[in-house]
Amino acid sequence: MTTGQISDAFPVGEDAGDDEPEVRRRRAARALQAVAFDTIGAGYGEAFPAKDGQLACGRRLLAELEPGARVLDVGCGTGEPTVRQLTGAGLRVTGVDLSDVMLSLARRAAFPGSFPPVFHRIDLYDLATARADRVWNAPGLGPVGHGAFAAVTAFFSLILLPQDEIPTVLRRLHELLRPGGLLALGMVEADLDHVPLPFLGRELRISGYLREDLERVLVAAGFAVEECSGHPYAPASTSLPPEEQLFLCCRRVG
């Protein structure tokens, strides 16, 4: 992707046979989200500068993972701070996002460590499926990548999905993890299901759970929740309300 390119709604080579109403609806929703984040760009990091809970989850992963372990960062954005934290500690990080501008910023950044991170543009709903290869040219994130990752991080990326899609994506992340692999998850604690909300000059549809409900969803998707902590958070942007952030450290079971 060239720097600053606006996200396409339909990737080159997409199979027209998938063009059923539900797929078209999902594509359209994802395209709007991607364009919103193309517009926001580096402004996201300026609005949410404090990342204490996210970095704490990263330290939890680093305490368990061996050097060179493979980690998938879902919704990596510009790579700050998770890609930087994990590569600097010697892990092999793959970052995925749907925003071309966010990925362009990540690809231009200089990250520490012996293993340069790899970035792919992909709809997170297509992870662990044949579409990862056929549509997004990322075979390692499809069925051949099942069990390939020691850990997955997903900080505030699943909030962009409707609640009925989140369990599906969690099961697909479960498939990409090796047995006993780790999931570090960041969500907003709120009973919301794809509700349109103003966000840094755009409108995004946001989902959230109360923590007990979120833990039930994770357990049903094949994860043991080993730690859950809540953190009140006030964004730097005065246009955004305070929120309660949830950080969960989970392990694949089964």
Side-chain angles (χ1 to χ4, degrees):
M1 291 293 176
T2 57
T3 301
Q5 182 174 343
I6 297 298
S7 298
D8 297 327
F10 304 96
V12 174
E14 179 131 19
D15 185 352
D18 287 342
D19 205 21
E20 21 186 87
E22 183 61 21
V23 174
R24 289 200 303 269
R25 179 202 63 77
R26 193 172 65 247
R27 285 181 192 158
R30 298 290 194 275
L32 290 174
Q33 291 172 352
V35 170
F37 279 96
D38 284 344
T39 304
I40 292 167
Y44 181 87
E46 296 166 2
F48 295 89
K51 305 285 189 181
D52 294 345
Q54 193 164 329
L55 290 168
C57 282
R59 290 191 294 272
R60 170 79 181 262
L61 298 183
L62 293 175
E64 292 206 33
L65 297 179
E66 70 278 8
R70 296 186 63 196
V71 180
L72 177 65
D73 187 17
V74 177
C76 64
T78 64
E80 301 291 348
T82 297
V83 173
R84 181 170 300 280
Q85 180 187 29
L86 300 183
T87 57
L91 302 185
R92 300 175 186 266
V93 181
T94 299
V96 298
D97 208 287
L98 195 54
S99 165
D100 292 310
V101 170
M102 291 289 196
L103 288 171
S104 293
L105 291 169
R107 287 169 176 146
R108 292 206 305 267
F111 292 100
S114 303
F115 304 110
V118 176
F119 297 99
H120 292 285
R121 181 172 181 256
I122 186 171
D123 183 341
L124 62 87
Y125 192 81
D126 292 334
L127 290 168
T129 74
R131 287 173 58 84
D133 184 10
R134 189 180 73 246
V135 176
W136 303 98
N137 194 30
L141 299 176
V144 299
H146 288 187
F149 291 92
V152 171
T153 58
F155 294 115
F156 307 104
S157 48
L158 271 61
I159 67 172
L160 298 172
L161 301 174
Q163 281 189 359
D164 63 355
E165 293 183 5
I166 291 174
T168 299
V169 171
L170 286 171
R171 287 192 295 271
R172 290 173 180 173
L173 297 181
H174 182 281
E175 291 176 342
L176 292 174
L177 281 167
R178 69 189 184 189
L182 305 175
L183 169 67
L185 181 65
M187 294 285 286
V188 173
E189 183 170 23
D191 188 11
L192 300 173
D193 187 6
H194 223 218
V195 175
L197 296 173
F199 188 85
L200 298 177
R202 309 289 299 192
E203 182 180 271
L204 292 177
R205 289 186 172 272
I206 303 296
S207 294
Y209 293 94
L210 302 179
R211 68 184 68 193
E212 296 83 1
D213 296 330
L214 179 56
E215 289 189 17
R216 280 193 288 270
V217 170
L218 283 159
V219 169
F223 292 97
V225 178
E226 298 185 340
E227 185 178 323
C228 178
S229 59
H231 301 260
Y233 192 94
S237 171
T238 57
S239 67
L240 296 171
E243 60 191 32
E244 181 77 5
Q245 296 184 343
L246 294 177
F247 293 94
L248 300 98
C249 296
C250 311
R251 189 178 302 274
R252 172 184 160 164
V253 294

